[in-house]
Amino acid sequence: TNMDDTLLKVDQFVLPGEVIGRIQPHSRNRLGSGLIQDKSDIIATKAGILCHKSTNDIHSYWIENNQMKYIPAVEDVVLGIVTDRLTESYKVDIGGTEHAILSSLAFEGAMRKNKPNLVKGSLVYARVTVANKDMEPELVCFAANNKSMGFGEIKGGNLFKCSLGLCRQLLAKKCTILESLGKKIPYELAVGVNGRVWVNSTSIVNTILISNAILNSEFLSPHQCEALVSNMITYSNK
């Protein structure tokens, strides 16, 4: 990786104030929730497990714990609810201490004459582009390549809240509960790292079944997840 491995404690428990690594010159790192940079040092600001993932040679690090309050970080994907419409933007509740700002032009192909028409209560899947404790968070509804890639307004389905830890599990490359459900029921899913999940399926019954299965899966083993899905589907078909 691009950090000094002598101090790196990936998958280990770290404490606030601990130096967990050093940034190497010209490295491509992205620091998420619970980490700050002080000169070349990376310092933990909260207790938890240090996590790492690598995408396109960019190394992302963050600290995961069972905190209940979401703290925005740049490049987070979130599910937000529009709370207010301003002249050129929207205020969006993303579950943090402050509402985020979403420009009405922050959508793929949006022009002044061709802007999305969101209303209070609209649900959006968005990406955090500004996260600074002195400013309101800012959102966009497109991916880094400026394509929508699933971002934007979401309609229908069921939105529910869950722990931040469960959201991270659902976004992992391998997630047994989602794989088990996908073998039995077709569904659409959007997961925000801010503790919100949106599900839509072929019927209201299936949508509720999927939502309940996800909520009940957090502390189950892969084998228990598979059994949970089988039992729920058998019961719902009676």
Side-chain angles (χ1 to χ4, degrees):
T1 72
N2 294 314
M3 278 210 212
D4 182 348
D5 285 342
T6 55
L7 287 175
L8 210 49
K9 299 179 177 181
V10 170
D11 294 332
Q12 292 182 39
F13 189 81
V14 297
L15 291 166
E18 207 172 320
V19 177
I20 57 98
R22 290 201 174 91
I23 293 278
Q24 303 291 7
H26 315 300
S27 63
R28 301 179 74 193
N29 295 304
R30 183 171 288 143
L31 302 183
S33 177
L35 296 171
I36 57 168
Q37 183 176 347
D38 181 23
K39 299 189 176 77
S40 64
D41 288 343
I42 303 302
I43 298 168
T45 60
K46 66 183 182 187
I49 304 294
L50 178 66
C51 300
H52 164 255
K53 74 173 180 183
S54 176
T55 320
N56 301 331
D57 289 334
I58 296 174
H59 293 276
S60 300
Y61 298 89
W62 70 94
I63 291 177
E64 202 163 279
N65 65 12
N66 280 337
Q67 72 182 49
M68 298 307 292
K69 197 70 179 170
Y70 168 64
I71 299 164
V74 172
E75 292 302 329
D76 278 358
V77 291
V78 295
L79 281 160
I81 299 162
V82 174
T83 58
D84 202 4
R85 185 174 176 162
L86 310 173
T87 315
E88 295 292 329
S89 63
Y90 299 95
K91 287 232 176 195
V92 182
D93 166 20
I94 56 171
T97 49
E98 286 196 75
H99 284 132
I101 296 291
L102 171 64
S103 165
S104 53
L105 297 174
F107 294 78
E108 183 188 5
M111 308 278 183
R112 297 218 172 268
K113 292 178 182 174
N114 172 30
K115 295 187 290 192
N117 185 26
L118 304 179
V119 295
K120 196 171 178 178
S122 291
L123 179 65
V124 290
Y125 196 43
R127 194 164 61 91
V128 177
T129 52
V130 174
N132 181 326
K133 65 178 189 295
D134 303 318
M135 296 167 65
E136 290 170 308
E138 290 180 22
L139 308 174
V140 296
C141 281
F142 50 74
N145 63 2
N146 292 331
K147 300 291 183 190
S148 64
M149 306 284 284
F151 292 107
E153 186 179 7
I154 293 179
K155 293 181 178 177
N158 178 42
L159 177 72
F160 60 92
K161 291 182 181 179
C162 64
S163 74
L164 305 185
L166 179 54
C167 285
R168 295 279 184 194
Q169 288 177 34
L170 297 173
L171 288 164
K173 278 183 183 170
K174 182 163 178 61
C175 177
T176 306
I177 194 70
L178 297 184
E179 288 173 8
S180 301
L181 285 164
K183 289 172 187 170
K184 310 274 188 183
I185 310 172
Y187 67 87
E188 296 174 278
L189 181 81
V191 180
V193 297
N194 57 331
R196 291 177 183 166
V197 178
W198 173 85
V199 175
N200 198 15
S201 188
T202 47
S203 70
I204 293 170
V205 171
N206 282 347
T207 299
I208 291 167
L209 185 150
I210 293 163
S211 304
N212 287 335
I214 290 170
L215 282 167
N216 285 300
S217 72
E218 182 166 8
F219 303 108
L220 301 183
S221 69
H223 179 70
Q224 289 171 321
C225 285
E226 288 167 5
L228 172 72
V229 171
S230 293
N231 292 342
M232 289 181 84
I233 286 171
T234 302
Y235 183 76
S236 73
N237 288 336
K238 282 183 178 176

